[in-house]
Amino acid sequence: MKILGKFPSTRLRRVRKSGWIRRLVSENSLSVNDLILPIFVRNGKNKIESIKTLPGVNRYSVDKLNVIMNKVRSFRIPMVALFPYTEKNKKDRYGTEALNKNNLICKSLRFIKKKYPDIGVMCDVALDPYTSHGHDGIIIDKKIDNDKTIEVLVNQALLQAKMGCDVIAPSDMMDGRVGVIRKALDKYSYQNVSILSYAVKYASNFYGPFRDAVGSKSNLKSDKKSYQMDFKNSNEAFREVGLDIKEGADMVMVKPGMPYLDIIKSIKDNFRIPVFAYQVSGEYSLIKHGIKKKLINEESIIESLMSFKRAGASAIVTYFALDAAKKIKNQLK
Ligand code: PBG
């Protein structure tokens, strides 16, 4: 027998040769337990309205939330994230509507926590859906005022907690807000309400469709670079995460997702706490468009979500949560 020395003795293809062995050696997996579905709420009755910039995603009036919540429950998605589309006449320079106990978020929280007590609900703490200028904070002398904004945010967080919110998610990027919110929650006996800090939130170009979905896009005249992070930076992300953990964050978010997998990985490796990723609206729209135009196939959804698991994310906020849950369920059949 002639032995051919010029061929490799290590053949990685041996562990790829059939489905069964690929399943045995696979290093990561995506389950429904990893998914968080964002839901947009609007005013009115009996309304399920599509969003042009986010095909496949709707805005629901509170009385129609059961339609989407039933799907969430049937797939056993652990948590939803609520976002309001606020009408123009309810917006002002100070985002006052954020503190109205009958605003869309409060109404939705009461409804969901009553009818779906086993599903977690997270809410953004930030003023952008409520301000006439579309910024996350209050403007004083043409600048976003950090400390004045926190005074409102802390009340927004307390109100959400009172209405039954399980996970308070400050997404405003003001300095020191996590500590103030944690203290206030504890003081008012909401010590079991968690904080998921959007610790690492970049001033990104991928938020466009979301801003349209919450109705802040046309209001926003300038960028958010004086409070959201510069996408050239990564060391700064560690400083943000370190501070937020010290201030009492239970989990941290990296946002957007796919352009920042390096950040997810290094935060996970260095801090060993639950890191959540937000596959934001622009990422969703691009993939959705590609699938619709048949430029890429539908499996790209799972591939994109798996990249977060590889990077070390514990969970992913994604507009694909229902599609992914369906795919995962079908795989198991
Ligand atoms: C606002 C907020 C934004 C998103 C979530 N919360 C947009 C922004 O900062 O302008 C973006 C989510 C997405 O694009 O899907 N605090």
Side-chain angles (χ1 to χ4, degrees):
M1 194 171 64
K2 203 175 153 199
I3 311 276
L4 297 172
K6 63 181 172 183
F7 291 110
S9 57
T10 302
R11 291 175 183 268
L12 290 175
R13 288 184 56 194
R14 277 197 286 263
V15 293
R16 296 179 200 140
K17 68 183 176 196
S18 315
W20 59 266
I21 196 157
R22 289 195 291 271
R23 274 159 56 212
L24 287 171
V25 302
S26 74
E27 298 171 39
N28 291 287
S29 62
L30 179 74
S31 97
V32 74
N33 301 331
D34 301 319
L35 303 171
I36 299 165
L37 178 72
I39 297 177
F40 295 101
V41 203
R42 54 156 291 159
N43 73 334
K45 283 219 154 59
N46 204 20
K47 298 267 197 290
I48 300 180
E49 166 190 43
S50 59
I51 304 168
K52 224 194 255 151
T53 52
L54 274 177
V57 179
N58 301 315
R59 295 188 193 102
Y60 297 83
S61 53
V62 178
D63 63 322
K64 281 287 171 187
L65 278 174
N66 62 314
V67 174
I68 186 133
M69 287 305 297
N70 287 345
K71 289 183 190 162
V72 168
R73 182 167 59 191
S74 73
F75 284 116
R76 299 201 68 239
I77 289 175
M79 183 158 79
V80 297
L82 297 179
F83 297 102
Y85 175 87
T86 310
E87 289 162 278
K88 264 215 167 68
N89 63 10
K90 295 220 159 120
K91 295 187 183 193
D92 61 27
R93 289 174 53 205
Y94 303 103
T96 316
E97 178 67 7
L99 304 183
N100 172 1
K101 65 180 193 309
N102 283 317
N103 70 21
L104 287 168
I105 291 297
C106 293
K107 281 189 194 155
S108 307
L109 275 168
R110 292 196 292 261
F111 170 76
I112 295 174
K113 288 321 298 184
K114 189 164 162 218
K115 294 273 174 22
Y116 305 86
D118 297 332
I119 298 172
V121 183
M122 71 175 252
C123 294
D124 257 35
V125 171
L127 301 180
D128 57 307
Y130 309 107
T131 50
S132 45
H133 43 71
H135 278 291
D136 294 34
I138 288 173
I139 302 179
I140 295 174
D141 291 337
K142 300 199 173 124
K143 292 201 173 67
I144 309 292
D145 191 287
N146 195 85
D147 301 11
K148 282 270 176 301
T149 300
I150 292 183
E151 284 174 23
V152 185
L153 297 180
V154 70
N155 286 310
Q156 184 184 21
L158 281 172
L159 179 60
Q160 291 172 350
K162 188 174 174 190
M163 295 296 152
C165 179
D166 303 289
V167 176
I168 301 284
S171 73
D172 54 286
M173 291 297 279
M174 297 301 118
D175 287 323
R177 86 284 205 213
V178 172
V180 179
I181 292 172
R182 183 70 271 163
K183 276 205 191 91
L185 290 172
D186 292 349
K187 182 171 168 197
Y188 289 94
S189 302
Y190 299 116
Q191 66 275 5
N192 293 327
V193 172
S194 318
I195 297 182
L196 163 61
S197 163
Y198 286 77
V200 187
K201 179 169 178 182
Y202 285 92
S204 172
N205 298 292
F206 287 90
Y207 302 146
F210 173 94
R211 289 180 187 167
D212 192 41
V214 297
S216 71
K217 194 169 188 169
S218 55
N219 298 339
L220 190 66
K221 298 285 180 280
S222 54
D223 59 50
K224 298 191 177 182
K225 289 179 185 170
S226 80
Y227 47 108
Q228 299 180 347
M229 268 183 59
D230 185 339
F231 58 69
K232 298 192 275 303
N233 297 349
S234 50
N235 286 335
E236 203 182 332
F238 292 114
R239 300 186 71 194
E240 284 285 1
V241 170
L243 279 170
D244 284 4
I245 294 173
K246 240 196 244 161
E247 290 177 30
D250 302 291
M251 305 156 276
V252 292
M253 181 95 85
V254 174
K255 174 184 175 189
M258 281 171 78
Y260 299 95
L261 295 173
D262 55 327
I263 306 290
I264 296 171
K265 171 128 183 73
S266 48
I267 288 173
K268 187 69 197 184
D269 289 347
N270 284 285
F271 291 94
R272 305 268 159 201
I273 59 156
V275 180
F276 288 19
Y278 199 137
Q279 183 179 49
V280 301
S281 56
E283 301 175 66
Y284 169 87
S285 296
L286 287 172
I287 296 172
K288 191 82 180 172
H289 176 80
I291 294 171
K292 196 169 159 219
K293 295 280 173 206
K294 297 199 163 42
L295 300 166
I296 56 178
N297 75 38
E298 267 208 352
E299 283 311 300
S300 55
I301 296 174
I302 298 293
E303 184 180 337
S304 71
L305 297 174
M306 198 64 79
S307 73
F308 297 113
K309 296 304 293 177
R310 244 180 16 251
S314 303
I316 308 142
V317 183
T318 173
Y319 304 94
F320 283 124
L322 287 170
D323 307 73
K326 199 183 280 173
K327 283 184 180 299
I328 292 165
K329 197 171 175 190
N330 289 339
Q331 268 169 13
L332 297 176
K333 271 185 196 157

